[in-house]
Amino acid sequence: MRDVAIIGVGMNKWGELWKQSIHEIFVEAALEAIDDAGVDHIDSMYVGCMSGGLFNGQEHLASVLADYLGVASIPAARVESACASGGLAVKCGILDVMSGASDIVLVGGVEKMTDVSGDAATFALATAADQEYEVYQGVTFPGLYAMMAHAHMHKYGTTSAQLAAVAVKNHANGSKNPLAQFPQLITVDDVLNSVMIADPLHILDCSPITDGAAAAVICSLETTKRIDKKPIVKFTGFGHATASIALHSRSDLTTLTATTEAGNRAFKMAGRTPADIDVIEVHDCFTIAELMVLESLRFFEPGQAGPATEAGLTQIDGKIPVNASGGLKSKGHPVGATGVAQIIEITKQLRGEAGDRQVKNARIGMTQNMGGSGGSTVTHIMEVI
Amino acid sequence: MAIPNYWRSIPQRYRYEAAKCTGCGKIFFPPRIVCDECASRSFETINLSRYGKIVTFTVIRIAPSQFVDQAPYPIGIVELNDGIKICTQIADCNPDDLKIGMPVRLEFRKISQDGTPGIIQYGYKAVPVK
Amino acid sequence: MAGIVGYGAYIPRNRIRVADIAKTWGADAPSYERGLLLKEKSVPSPDQDTITMSVEALRNALQRAKIDAQKIGALYIGSESHPYAVKPSGTVVAEAINAIPDCHCADYEFACKAGSESMFVALSLVEAGQVEYAVGIGADTSQGAPGDALEYSAAAGAAAFIMGKTNVLAEAVVTYSYMSDTPDFWRREHEFYPRHAGRFTGEPAYFSHTIGATKGILEKAGMKVSDFKHVVFHQPNGKFPLRVGKMLGFTPEQLEVGLLTPTLGNTYSAASPLGLTAVLDIAEPGDQILMVSYGSGAGSDAFIWKVTDKITAVQNAAVKTRTLLDENKVYIDYGTYAKYRGKIRMNDNN
């Protein structure tokens, strides 16, 4: 099996992109990635998109996007695993290169969420939950994470202020990211005084509705020898796992088993442990998610991620910098693009190109991208060589 | 929910029919055709208990349009006496009085409707047991 | 002898005070409270309707009857607020209690008499030996037009009765029906709120038919007013049943237990059936009960029930009607009431 490197990244400024269509957003990011890689062609393409059908009335996105990118003859596929679609696209691209079937692959993600009303967007996102036995009953995505938060608080004594500390930290990081949708600084009081969405989650505990795309060019390690691109970042591990889609079907509501499994697989493949990781991007769709992910990946013991966040251990200069990009919370969360944007952030951190939010001496980075209420997770470990 | 889909699930929504694995006794709600515990494909139909307790809950304050007239409404995960957990609204209560562990009972309620001209979809909601 | 083998009630927990309705319309609350002998009424939540209340009332009845629902051969629901104009309520209820598929099912409508009508037919089928058990339900989430006199009383509730021949709680001694074409109250197809003929709903309508049915059944049974421990009349407000009782020679004590309207409101098809459940909750073996319904349009069904010694064992097997009426209630304001009852104009997508 061949080693796989990442040689180009591209991402636009995220937000409410009223003037751009889904293809324009994607093509902009893809061209930037291709230019950054300095390649003259791509052999194949994988694009993560959760719901072109419900957000844009457009399925068959692989053809649409390949066509608008001007590469229409290549094999292309759109992959879907709810909010983990982007991470899954990266994994599919890695497998394609590893197998030798393709050499240079574009992996990307896109979501154009503001073409529909807020109610329609809520419906589209809720299709990532169990339609028949969760959504039918009137639950929303904030509601599902709120139930996890309440269970976590009940079991471990996690506080609303600890949840707020996640949002405060991620906005502080995002304020240093020129591509972030909400770069403004916020305080714990801002979060606690913001409107309640689903108790105990306030609106500032929630990631936003975002238009955006992200893309990366990956290739075999041999191919990087022909390309003048330094330093080279390569994938040393990845993991992918599923869990029951319905929250109520899980035995423990305070842990994310798919994240633990996907994490273990990536650690084993890379021969690493959490202690080796210098910087990590995790799926903070809600503040409670960041805490539960960090505990499920064993960066902290169960119940300890909240106190650790409050103590500053997850800041850029902390013991384990988490979501230096601003995370989904501040950077935005165009669902299909999120997993690819995490890969981009780690690439920039490992290349030393992260500007004001650069983590010092970052050599080994990790991403964790999660679908639904934790029903799927894709992880990657990347190292600079 | 589409009418055929709703119709198929009436035994679950109205009278809590579940599948009990004849191999290992594990209960599935809704029913499945293969057991994830022992891989058996043989099940018997049982009716779940209407009684249980709250495992976790939240209060939905920003509701999807078909539930707006009921917002804010509590919704939670309830573990029924058979050990099966379900997601359900918790009706007829003051949200401030709810607590994890509180005993509840399932009642038959309207869940949603396809606008005023469309069909009415029924199902279960939990209510606190005094 | 055939009779009731199980009974159950359901009343939503929301209440609105007559005074709060009067305040909204600038009306004089004390005169309404005195005139109707009515303090407050029940209001269904947005997730409750005739079908949901029928299911819960019938589940309570099944807890008392302790029979296999598969043996129920007929199920009837009487209501003037069936959720669908076309599509039966009864099929939903039969599915919920697992009485399907071997069951005859129909929805009845006869203004406030529809509940007793379903009881009458269910009882008759059992008496005829057509089915082993039959269910009769009266349920309503009735609506009065905003500001109309009916808005002060139109309430929600359900009562369910399982009729059978074994382990009978109350035997049906005699039944009798009395009717004529009297247009005192109606709702035309596609109209949201009913209309009524004002004071014409009194003497020629409610009183004439209630008295006719009462006299008719007493004569048929060869019984007299003093033979009854309890009497339950249709109760569109608190005043009418007391007055008709007095006109017929009943004492206030005979009416007291079954008169729920002053704090419940008029539950239409469920009104006299709910009164009967309240009586059965406290009845003693040997008690004789007279029940006379009234439905506009117009007619009355009368029943004489004789309580058996089986009653005491089941009274506590399910929630009692007075508990539903007096405990766990919450008061809502007129705005919430208007929202719950669909009286506020919304955008189409809601």
Side-chain angles (χ1 to χ4, degrees), chain B residues 15 107-108 120 122 125, chain C residues 10 47 49 56 84 95:
Chain B
R15 51 180 192 264
E107 268 198 13
F108 194 80
I120 303 165
Y122 295 93
K125 288 190 184 181
Chain C
Y10 189 83
D47 60 1
D49 62 18
E56 289 301 319
Y84 291 91
E95 276 275 2

Side-chain angles (χ1 to χ4, degrees), chain A residues 15-38:
Chain A
E16 293 171 323
L17 308 179
W18 304 113
K19 290 183 175 173
Q20 288 178 292
S21 68
I22 186 171
H23 4 102
E24 287 170 327
I25 297 171
F26 175 77
V27 169
E28 197 174 82
L31 289 176
E32 190 185 326
I34 290 167
D35 289 349
D36 184 42

Side-chain angles (χ1 to χ4, degrees), chain C residues 71-92:
Chain C
K71 291 182 178 170
I72 293 171
L75 189 151
Y76 305 114
I77 302 177
S79 180
E80 65 106 77
S81 50
H82 290 289
Y84 291 91
V86 177
K87 187 200 171 297
S89 300
T91 51
V92 182

Side-chain angles (χ1 to χ4, degrees), chain A residues 221-235:
Chain A
L221 201 56
E222 299 113 67
T223 300
T224 63
K225 290 168 191 159
R226 294 190 272 113
I227 297 166
D228 181 25
K229 190 82 193 173
K230 290 284 187 290
I232 297 295
V233 172
K234 77 168 194 174
F235 293 96

